[in-house]
Amino acid sequence: MAAKAGTGPKTRTRTTTERRAFERLGLYTAADFVVHLPLRYEDETHVTPVAQALPGQWGLFEGEITDSQSHYQPRRELQATLQDPTGRLNLRWLHVYSGQQARVSAGRRVRARGEVRAGYRGLEIIHPLLTEPDGALPDTLTPIYPTTQGLPQASLRRAISHALNEADLSDTLPPAIRTHYDLAEFAPSLRLLHHPTPDISLELLARHEHPAWRRIKFDEILAQQLALAQARAVRRAQRAWPLAADSPLVNRLMDSLPFSPTNAQQRAVGQIRADLAQPHPMHRLLQGDVGSGKTLVAALAVAQALAAGVQVAVMAPTEILAEQLWRKLSEWLEPLGETPVWLAGNMAAGARREALKAIATGQARLAVGTQALIQDKVVFDRLGLVISDEQHRFGVNQRLALNRKGDQSGLHPHQLSMSATPIPRTLAMAFFADMDVSVLDEMPPGRSPVQTRLFDDRRREDVLTHVARAVRDGEQAYWVCPLVEESEALQLQTAVDTWEHLCQSLPDLRIGLMHGRLPHQEKSSTMQAFRAGQLDVLVSTTVVEVGVDVPNASLMIIEHAERFGLAQLHQLRGRVGRGPRPSICVLLYQSPLSAIARERLRAMFETSDGFEIARRDLAQRGPGELLGLRQSGQALLRFADLNTDGGLLDQAREAAVWMTRDYPDQAQAHQKRWMAGAAQYLRI
Ligand code: ADP
Ligand code: MG
């Protein structure tokens, strides 16, 4: 058989392809390579007698080839038998290239390694790797690294071994800190993880529980905490408009409310009030489960800022949400003489020009809208406070843009971010540690808990009957349509189909349809009709997911609930249970359910506590997805796992303070070693 054209001898220098592959793995400098750690190991330190070969286990065998032949069945396949004093093992190649058969001609001695499996002629290894039998065996385990297409393990191993000799592996932790937290030394830990000796427990290594792993995880978290501490220090050095805490407008707003704030709201308002009075920018995250009343807290912050004479920008990730904020803020602030201007992406050119002008001259004091508010073209006169709702849904770039947004004065605005995705403590500390956090852990009074019911799609008729009855009693319902990830158009179609089907099945009900492709005007009027009780049922795509507030709606039906993520289901369910009426959330699912979908639906059934839901979501999906950081392409923590390494996080956080204060040089060196690529994402 002829050699394949173009496969000449391999070169040993680093090729462009190889360099690109390294870059895809984030490997640029020697420091990057040395912390590219193995996923697992293979034990080539000793030869296993063939008699001890076990299916499913990896092994290195040595013996004589007793038989070698190629068949066509129907493709060409090569088969050989390796024999040692204890038994025989089959070796099989499904693709045969030239010269290969000669390497396993009968009578040769070889070493063969690979995973043993039960073949139909006895134990076999498919595509074993062959080596000459006379070479010395390594005395450490062979690392298997995370790799990428076209990058063989051998190249990675070579590059990493090289880097281990080149890189500065000096310990960035002062002995006092190492001793205090009982941490292993850096260089030996690293060397051990790359090349463990065979006596080390593979089990401990695999679970990242070996002391060497503990040291590396600690270092990783510490670097992150140092970066956050630094971001905080930078912010402390920035200047902002100090907004006087004592303001008649705030008091008038308080007095005009039809209810009194909950204790949690008062606490958050107090914290924000104090922050705003400072001459450096506030970065505060207001966390509260859906319906906990974040908008009021925001409104009080707005009032304080307006009273102090600065401008305020309030924005939300979607137009529906932004409009709702605008409505609420108008309702509360207009009677006090403050009228918000509206700014969104698809306004008529004239209206937009006017809004921009009013913002630039400072005539508009409160601007509410979408991301359009932080585009470069928007210039503020004296921007003192930026509030963003559902902040985690903004993309990374938008959040960076927001941070750069200043005004003509050169001072930095205070920032209040609000999120209804309750972020578990460990995660908040890891990702938002440069923000202060206020939590609304109490619901306004008069809410009734939402009952969650699971229905197989085959019982859809029962659900329809229930909806019809509830509507006759004056209730209103959301009917949310499945998420179709592959295609927005398809999602739209299902919403339209569902709407038509409902209109046919329940002809005497008033049924509205809402989806992202509708012109803004239509979305807005549909939403308003639903809010005013002129619609009984609102069929919708997930555009109602966050923030929509219609207290009279007490029924939520979610189609294909199995397709939604946990956080999303929780958000959707949070649209009901906002009034005095007992509310019901029906999760319609299509069987059979995958294990993970069943887990999610069970979680929804078992708990309505947003923090518990977030904890389970984190366990299922990992932090990147939960925070929408997936698109950043940077998993911020590669080795530590926030689910299980909470204790380590506490220690690293404490150590970060200690190092910043007592060992600033080492702190800087440490951060440099770990944070090359990830740092910018931590400053958002
Ligand atoms: P979220 O935190 O989800 O943004 P909202 O701010 O939309 O919640 O508040 C939910 C509903 O609760 C709104 O209708 C709001 O007016 C009402 N609300 C807020 N605070 C209180 C309170 N202290 N007492 C009674 N109702 C309140
Ligand atoms: Mg809200």
Side-chain angles (χ1 to χ4, degrees):
M1 189 191 184
K4 257 191 227 152
T7 45
K10 293 218 170 100
T11 53
R12 289 276 149 190
T13 52
R14 195 174 287 185
T15 61
T16 316
T17 331
E18 213 175 44
R19 202 183 60 241
R20 291 224 179 93
F22 286 144
E23 288 175 6
R24 277 204 299 283
L25 293 172
L27 305 177
Y28 297 87
T29 66
D32 299 330
F33 279 90
V34 296
V35 293
H36 192 69
L37 292 170
L39 288 171
R40 58 187 178 84
Y41 306 90
E42 287 172 354
D43 188 350
E44 295 174 54
T45 60
H46 64 275
V47 170
T48 305
V50 167
Q52 288 173 23
L54 285 175
Q57 272 188 13
W58 199 93
L60 171 67
F61 305 92
E62 181 173 329
E64 189 180 311
I65 300 293
T66 56
D67 171 44
S68 156
Q69 46 188 293
S70 63
H71 319 261
Y72 287 87
Q73 52 174 19
R75 265 188 316 164
R76 185 151 176 247
E77 178 179 317
L78 174 63
Q79 198 173 320
T81 309
L82 179 150
Q83 174 152 29
D84 78 355
T86 69
R88 301 158 141 254
L89 186 64
N90 292 317
L91 309 178
R92 220 148 50 97
W93 287 265
L94 308 178
H95 313 285
V96 187
Y97 53 87
S98 76
Q100 197 177 24
Q101 192 157 9
R103 290 189 74 195
V104 286
S105 52
R108 287 192 74 146
R109 275 193 79 74
V110 295
R111 274 183 195 153
R113 57 196 161 94
E115 190 181 310
V116 176
R117 42 168 266 170
Y120 92 178
R121 276 190 221 90
L123 293 184
E124 64 178 9
I125 301 180
I126 309 272
H127 286 267
L129 291 166
L130 295 184
T131 43
E132 296 302 317
D134 43 355
L137 290 171
D139 46 16
T140 56
L141 304 183
T142 307
I144 307 295
Y145 293 105
T147 186
T148 175
Q149 201 176 13
L151 185 62
Q153 286 292 329
S155 312
L156 257 173
R157 272 182 212 137
R158 211 165 35 238
I160 290 169
S161 294
H162 182 69
L164 278 169
N165 294 326
E166 294 285 296
D168 170 14
L169 300 184
S170 56
D171 208 314
T172 44
L173 295 193
I177 289 186
R178 242 176 27 232
T179 314
H180 185 82
Y181 297 107
D182 194 19
L183 293 164
E185 285 178 62
F186 181 69
S189 297
L190 209 54
R191 291 190 195 283
L192 183 149
L193 292 179
H194 283 292
H195 301 292
T197 49
D199 57 308
I200 291 172
S201 155
L202 280 176
E203 179 77 14
L204 277 187
L205 288 175
R207 291 204 311 256
H208 287 199
E209 279 172 13
H210 190 280
W213 266 123
R214 184 166 168 269
R215 168 63 203 258
I216 298 301
K217 292 192 291 186
F218 184 91
D219 275 22
E220 181 182 41
I221 306 175
L222 175 66
Q224 192 189 50
Q225 293 300 316
L226 284 169
L228 290 166
Q230 199 186 38
R232 186 192 285 256
V234 166
R235 175 159 59 87
R236 285 273 137 85
Q238 291 174 341
R239 301 199 42 80
W241 299 98
L243 311 173
D246 202 12
S247 127
L249 187 62
V250 172
N251 297 335
R252 280 163 59 212
L253 175 55
M254 280 281 205
D255 293 343
S256 74
L257 293 172
F259 47 72
S260 47
T262 62
N263 290 328
Q265 283 170 322
Q266 279 174 24
R267 198 171 54 237
V269 167
Q271 290 162 342
I272 292 167
R273 183 189 299 141
D275 282 0
L276 292 179
Q278 301 297 313
H280 51 77
M282 166 177 87
H283 273 200
R284 190 171 276 277
L285 177 67
L286 176 61
Q287 272 193 40
D289 210 344
V290 288
S292 58
K294 294 184 290 294
T295 319
L296 173 65
V297 177
L300 290 163
V302 170
Q304 178 173 344
L306 293 179
V310 296
Q311 287 173 299
V312 181
V314 179
M315 54 183 203
T318 68
E319 267 183 49
I320 296 190
L321 272 186
E323 181 172 336
Q324 188 171 273
L325 275 173
W326 182 76
R327 192 182 303 280
K328 220 34 217 222
L329 291 173
S330 305
E331 177 191 322
W332 285 333
L333 292 167
E334 237 168 27
L336 309 177
E338 297 289 350
T339 307
V341 318
W342 171 254
L343 191 74
N346 59 1
M347 293 168 79
R352 183 181 162 77
R353 214 169 22 245
E354 227 160 88
L356 286 178
K357 188 162 153 242
I359 290 170
T361 57
Q363 187 196 342
R365 301 176 7 106
L366 172 57
V368 183
T370 58
Q371 291 93 309
L373 272 176
I374 49 164
Q375 279 161 8
D376 289 340
K377 275 164 270 164
V378 186
V379 180
F380 285 82
D381 176 38
R382 330 171 64 186
L383 181 61
L385 171 64
V386 176
I387 299 182
S388 35
D389 199 6
E390 305 303 343
Q391 187 245 14
H392 67 285
R393 307 191 99 228
F394 285 102
V396 166
N397 289 335
Q398 286 151 347
R399 281 146 70 177
L400 288 171
L402 172 60
N403 251 21
R404 285 193 296 266
K405 195 85 207 161
D407 61 11
Q408 293 166 352
S409 69
L411 296 188
H412 292 263
H414 297 281
Q415 285 183 38
L416 176 64
S417 309
M418 305 194 282
S419 175
T421 297
I423 297 156
R425 188 192 66 99
T426 47
L427 203 53
M429 273 160 58
F431 290 94
F432 296 114
D434 84 313
M435 291 192 181
D436 300 300
V437 179
S438 298
V439 180
L440 298 184
D441 52 5
E442 180 188 3
M443 286 288 171
R447 300 282 166 83
S448 43
V450 181
Q451 262 191 51
T452 300
R453 304 218 181 123
L454 301 176
F455 274 87
D456 190 303
D457 193 53
R458 285 172 298 215
R459 293 180 57 201
R460 172 178 292 266
E461 289 306 315
D462 296 350
V463 176
L464 285 172
T465 313
H466 183 86
V467 170
R469 189 170 343 116
V471 165
R472 255 171 250 125
D473 289 345
E475 298 186 41
Q476 286 176 285
Y478 295 98
W479 194 296
V480 178
C481 287
L483 186 72
V484 182
E485 274 196 6
E486 314 81 62
S487 149
E488 198 194 336
L490 212 54
Q491 173 168 359
L492 203 63
Q493 190 53 47
T494 52
V496 174
D497 290 348
T498 308
W499 176 72
E500 283 175 353
H501 179 248
L502 284 179
C503 289
Q504 278 162 19
S505 317
L506 305 168
D508 50 338
L509 301 196
R510 297 163 302 172
I511 304 176
L513 174 63
M514 171 79 129
H515 57 74
R517 290 277 184 84
L518 288 177
H520 176 68
Q521 210 48 43
E522 209 166 317
K523 270 192 248 178
S524 164
S525 61
T526 304
M527 210 56 232
Q528 200 154 356
F530 189 59
R531 192 176 284 118
Q534 293 154 3
L535 290 172
D536 304 310
V537 180
L538 185 65
V539 177
S540 165
T541 57
T542 47
V543 291
V544 298
E545 181 192 337
V546 286
V548 170
D549 181 37
V550 179
N552 190 53
S554 56
L555 203 51
M556 165 68 64
I557 289 104
I558 304 177
E559 290 252 8
H560 279 291
E562 77 278 0
R563 294 193 193 164
F564 291 85
L566 204 41
Q568 220 175 4
L569 288 172
H570 180 66
Q571 284 288 339
L572 286 168
R573 181 169 60 185
R575 299 306 108 217
V576 294
R578 297 179 158 241
R581 237 188 253 277
S583 295
I584 295 178
C585 173
V586 175
L587 302 177
L588 267 174
Y589 63 87
Q590 199 128 53
S591 18
L593 287 174
S594 69
I596 192 161
R598 178 170 308 129
E599 213 33 60
R600 281 200 294 261
L601 296 184
R602 172 177 308 147
M604 286 298 291
F605 182 73
E606 285 175 357
T607 178
S608 58
D609 173 353
F611 279 85
E612 175 60 19
I613 298 249
R615 202 189 56 71
R616 295 194 193 190
D617 206 21
L618 177 63
Q620 281 196 358
R621 294 196 297 162
E625 290 210 40
L626 187 65
L627 296 173
L629 286 173
R630 192 177 30 162
Q631 75 272 34
S632 76
Q634 285 271 5
L636 295 187
L637 290 173
R638 282 179 286 169
F639 307 123
D641 175 351
L642 292 171
N643 271 318
T644 50
D645 293 324
L648 217 48
L649 177 58
D650 285 330
Q651 295 179 342
R653 211 162 124 86
E654 195 180 80
V657 175
W658 184 0
M659 263 179 93
T660 309
R661 191 190 56 217
D662 294 351
Y663 307 98
D665 293 347
Q666 279 109 315
Q668 203 176 12
H670 186 85
Q671 215 177 321
K672 199 161 152 236
R673 171 176 286 162
W674 282 93
M675 298 305 293
Q680 70 158 315
Y681 294 104
L682 292 167
R683 302 227 177 77
I684 55 181

